Amino acid sequence: MRVYLAGPDVFMPDPHERAAVLKALCTKHGLVGVSPLDALAHEPEAWAGLHEPYRIARRNEAHIASCAALVANLTPFRGPSADVGTVFELGYMRALGRPVYGWTNSHTSFTTRTRAFLNMDDDSGDIDDNGMQVENFGPLADNLMIDSAIAASGGVLIRHPNCPDDEHWTEFGAFELCLATLRSRPQRP
């Protein structure tokens, strides 16, 4: 089964090396990992004239469409939430009606992370300094749309229970558990 590997991993100092590690772990679990960095076989000639960011987006969408499932690294990236591009890819796969799985090395809830990011104290309730409500749905790992999309697709979101902060980008236990869970589930047509 081909699995698209969504996540901010492409921004790491060694993105190709990291993609190789993730793909090797997929192989270990009987899956074929597809990285956003992979070349696209038979890229349409019409894309040659596109500005590079648009060509990358089209390539990633084509990779996603070629896969049976998506596994997203939802470890918070540059803020309290998952990488926005990863979230788009997750939604794209969900719209295709295919299973979406997620993993994160953050064990704290989205609400807790958001409140810390905004320097909100316990007395401020759920309203930030701009008078806007902070999403508070208890233990959700991220925005309600992310957790909900994964659950509705038949996938799961695996949270590392106690990953040290200095290992958020080097620990793959939650990723492997996500792959094992995906592999153990009956495949959809």
Side-chain angles (χ1 to χ4, degrees):
M1 174 193 317
R2 288 172 50 88
V3 177
Y4 185 78
L5 304 173
D9 309 274
V10 297
F11 300 114
M12 302 295 161
D14 54 356
H16 293 282
E17 215 173 283
R18 188 167 174 93
V21 169
L22 295 173
K23 290 168 119 182
L25 291 170
C26 286
T27 300
K28 175 181 167 184
H29 289 274
L31 302 164
V32 176
V34 176
S35 167
L37 300 173
D38 290 347
L40 181 65
H42 314 295
E43 188 168 307
E45 288 181 30
W47 293 4
L50 293 175
H51 188 48
E52 183 64 12
Y54 299 135
R55 205 166 45 250
I56 290 169
R58 295 266 173 83
R59 191 177 307 126
N60 291 353
E61 288 175 354
H63 280 316
I64 292 166
S66 76
C67 291
L70 180 142
V71 175
N73 179 352
L74 299 172
T75 302
F77 183 69
R78 297 182 179 152
S81 189
D83 168 57
V84 67
T86 301
V87 173
F88 170 84
E89 292 173 333
L90 183 153
Y92 189 79
M93 183 61 99
R94 170 76 177 113
L96 293 175
R98 299 180 194 155
V100 177
Y101 289 73
W103 64 284
T104 177
N105 281 335
S106 176
H107 61 279
T108 59
S109 72
F110 178 55
T111 302
T112 300
R113 291 192 314 272
T114 301
R115 291 176 61 80
F117 181 77
L118 296 172
N119 295 315
M120 293 175 69
D121 60 35
D122 291 338
D123 297 330
S124 53
D126 290 330
I127 304 299
D128 69 13
D129 288 344
N130 293 313
M132 294 187 207
Q133 183 175 355
V134 172
E135 183 176 311
N136 187 355
F137 291 102
L140 293 183
D142 215 300
N143 175 277
L144 69 95
M145 294 301 291
I146 299 169
D147 286 55
S148 178
I150 291 170
S153 79
V156 296
L157 199 163
I158 305 291
R159 293 163 87 168
H160 194 296
N162 55 2
C163 185
D165 288 343
D166 63 344
E167 294 181 16
H168 273 193
W169 302 113
T170 58
E171 171 55 42
F172 297 106
F175 175 65
E176 282 208 74
L177 185 53
C178 196
L179 295 177
T181 304
L182 166 61
R183 188 70 174 118
S184 70
R185 298 230 167 150
Q187 302 309 309
R188 294 180 182 184

